[in-house]
Amino acid sequence: MEIVLLLLKQSLIMFVYLLIGYFLYKRKLVSKQGSADMGRMLLYVIMPVAIVKSYIREFSLELLEGLVISFVLALLALVLSVVVSRVLFGKEEGVERFGAAFSNAGFIGIPLVQMALGAEAVFYVASFVAILNILQWTYGILVMTGDRSAISFRKIRTNPIVLSFLAGLLLFFLPVTLPDALTDIIATLASMNGPVEMIVLGVYLAQIPLKSLFTDRLVYKCTAVRLILIPALTILLLVVIPADETIKLTVLIAASAPVGSNVAIFAQLYDQDYTRAVKEVCLSTLLCILTLPLIVGVANLVF
């Protein structure tokens, strides 16, 4: 029950950050260009630093074993998400296939995991985020475009999330001690992950009529699949796999996060329905304040 209350508290805090972004845009204190700039700062600086921070710890065989298990569980959970989204949405619904399959595990999952389960759990969720990014730039592009030739493995090799994951692994395996000043800078930047992301989402929300969030059946369907069906099936998957409860809960929180904001970026990039993508991101983010603590509460009873 304690973890459920912690998640609920953190969800409410992040909702406040979202409201800040909403009113900043409405008051014309932040523009669309400003939110886009903050988004790039998240992608290229804050998020990679948050991942690197999770690996700044002393090497141990116990942590290594947990890392391997978390990687396997993350891969299984993401494959499950992809299969479910592919079954429930048609080829013409590429935005929904992408949005339902890929959660906002990095920008929302990491701060929630850290708040509810501690810094050690972030060590495990980084695997989920890295695999998710690889799938987005391969399978995600395929469902958005229907064109295999659009997939660029060079973009995977230069993806800041993947690179930070590899850099973090090097720091974990090598006997390297970073200067205190550098670790302080890393910790400060990493702590910006949740607040800045939610402020950006608040700006997204302010750009569309609130009423329109609740009038599109496809948006509701995508949100329900992302927040309820996939997390429920992930619980069933994790129940049958013997693993540490903290690792299971870490993967579950990442898998239960709302629609990832990258769906809007990809939709805009590949001439898909950008407005509907933003609606799915915003509606699922609002509703996850309630669904995520409930999902984790159920998991607590069965793990």
Side-chain angles (χ1 to χ4, degrees):
M1 179 58 71
E2 182 180 357
I3 186 175
V4 175
L5 293 176
L6 283 172
L7 275 174
L8 183 58
K9 176 185 175 182
Q10 184 65 8
S11 296
L12 291 173
I13 290 172
M14 296 183 78
F15 178 67
V16 172
Y17 294 141
L18 185 144
L19 288 179
I20 290 172
Y22 181 89
F23 286 110
L24 283 174
Y25 183 82
K26 287 296 185 182
R27 295 288 182 177
K28 299 183 179 179
L29 297 172
V30 173
S31 64
K32 287 183 182 180
Q33 183 59 47
S35 66
D37 292 338
M38 285 193 288
R40 281 190 285 272
M41 182 173 65
L42 276 166
L43 179 62
Y44 289 101
V45 180
I46 297 175
M47 183 65 190
V49 168
I51 290 176
V52 169
K53 178 182 178 295
S54 69
Y55 287 96
I56 301 178
R57 56 188 65 244
E58 187 176 348
F59 174 85
S60 73
L61 290 177
E62 183 180 357
L63 282 176
L64 178 60
E65 180 183 356
L67 179 63
V68 172
I69 293 171
S70 69
F71 188 91
V72 172
L73 293 185
L75 181 60
L76 291 174
L78 282 164
V79 168
L80 173 65
S81 296
V82 167
V83 171
V84 171
S85 68
R86 192 173 185 85
V87 169
L88 294 179
F89 298 102
K91 289 183 178 179
E92 71 283 359
E93 297 169 334
V95 169
E96 285 66 42
R97 279 190 173 183
F98 190 107
F102 302 126
S103 69
N104 207 340
F107 296 128
I108 291 181
I110 284 181
L112 288 177
V113 165
Q114 184 169 3
M115 179 69 180
L117 299 172
E120 181 178 317
V122 180
F123 177 81
Y124 300 128
V125 80
S127 298
F128 193 106
V129 176
I131 299 171
L132 182 146
N133 270 266
I134 292 172
L135 287 173
Q136 283 182 335
W137 285 96
T138 50
Y139 174 78
I141 289 178
L142 180 61
V143 299
M144 281 284 190
T145 65
D147 181 9
R148 292 181 183 273
S149 65
I151 298 172
S152 170
F153 289 98
R154 182 186 65 82
K155 289 182 178 179
I156 297 173
R157 293 197 306 269
T158 58
N159 184 287
I161 306 302
V162 175
L163 290 176
S164 63
F165 176 68
L166 296 175
L169 286 177
L170 281 176
L171 288 174
F172 174 63
F173 283 111
L174 298 177
V176 176
T177 302
L178 298 179
D180 290 342
L182 182 56
T183 56
D184 288 344
I185 292 171
I186 290 173
T188 301
L189 287 171
S191 68
M192 297 168 63
N193 186 30
V196 175
E197 164 67 7
M198 294 307 294
I199 289 171
V200 171
L201 283 177
V203 174
Y204 280 172
L205 181 62
Q207 294 174 31
I208 58 176
L210 283 178
K211 184 179 178 180
S212 69
L213 279 180
F214 308 99
T215 56
D216 191 323
R217 289 185 179 182
L218 198 54
V219 172
Y220 271 117
K221 181 180 176 181
C222 180
T223 298
V225 172
R226 169 95 302 276
L227 296 182
I228 300 174
L229 181 59
I230 287 176
L233 293 175
T234 302
I235 290 176
L236 295 178
L237 171 69
L238 295 174
V239 163
V240 300
I241 299 176
D244 180 78
E245 183 177 341
T246 297
I247 297 177
K248 286 185 177 183
L249 286 174
T250 297
V251 172
L252 179 62
I253 291 173
S256 304
V259 174
S261 53
N262 271 355
V263 69
I265 296 171
F266 278 61
Q268 194 171 35
L269 186 63
Y270 295 108
D271 297 320
Q272 299 293 313
D273 194 330
Y274 170 76
T275 300
R276 196 170 74 237
V278 171
K279 289 179 184 178
E280 288 164 358
V281 172
C282 293
L283 182 62
S284 63
T285 300
L286 288 172
L287 294 182
C288 85
I289 294 170
L290 299 175
T291 61
L292 220 159
L294 287 174
I295 288 292
V296 173
V298 171
N300 257 339
L301 297 175
V302 298
F303 284 172

